[in-house]
Structure formats: C-alpha cells, structure tokens
Amino acid sequence: RGRLLHRQRSCHAAGHSDGVSGWEVHDAQAGILGTLLRVEDNPGQSLLVVDRADGQSPLLIPLVDEFLVGIDEERERIDVDVPAGLLSL
C-alpha cells in the first residue's frame, strides 16, 4: 500500500500523472475487475477508483492492507482480495 501511495505522490510532485492510472486491477476470486482510474485520498482512507471491465459505474475499493495482495510494477497490475459483497455494490 505504501509503495502505491508513494509512487502516486512522487509523480504528482514531479508534475506527471499519478503513475498508476491505467493499471489493471485483479481480484483473487473475481479475476480482472477493470482499469485503475485513480487513487483517491480521503480523510479516513484512500480508495482505488476502478473503471469496471463490465461497464458498470466505477468501483471504489478501500486501499487497506487487508485487501491489497500485491503490486506488480513491471506488468502495471494491482492484485486485491476484496470481499464479494463489496464488488456487488
């Protein structure tokens, strides 16, 4: 989680895009969820805002250690394990 937020903030500070937009987001159970639009900072916690592969409204995934499985910078991929109920919201 820290690496992802650090990359986002470093790119913003350098005047570039956030450095993670466009990355694929994969869930351990559901497979590909879609493409990351942005990481949204909120007072309580940051959120992954995902453009869903199925065309539904964007998916908001809390960026917490319990959900984040891995970050593959070479493949520009974020792996998560989100409770099924959250994916159906």
Side-chain angles (χ1 to χ4, degrees):
R1 179 172 78 96
R3 280 191 338 199
L4 189 63
L5 293 174
H6 175 72
R7 181 182 176 108
Q8 176 199 24
R9 290 179 182 133
S10 295
C11 288
H12 276 301
H16 303 295
S17 67
D18 66 14
V20 293
S21 293
W23 286 26
E24 288 186 348
V25 180
H26 290 253
D27 180 70
Q29 305 302 314
I32 187 164
L33 296 178
T35 304
L36 186 66
L37 293 173
R38 67 185 174 279
V39 178
E40 191 169 291
D41 285 327
N42 286 314
Q45 63 194 11
S46 296
L47 298 170
L48 298 176
V49 182
V50 180
D51 184 19
R52 294 185 197 218
D54 61 10
Q56 294 182 36
S57 60
L59 178 63
L60 302 176
I61 302 173
L63 186 54
V64 295
D65 291 337
E66 293 80 13
F67 295 166
L68 186 63
V69 174
I71 299 167
D72 186 335
E73 293 186 42
E74 280 187 29
R75 295 172 59 200
E76 295 187 345
R77 174 177 161 152
I78 300 168
D79 291 303
V80 296
D81 191 359
V82 180
L86 184 63
L87 298 178
S88 62
L89 295 177

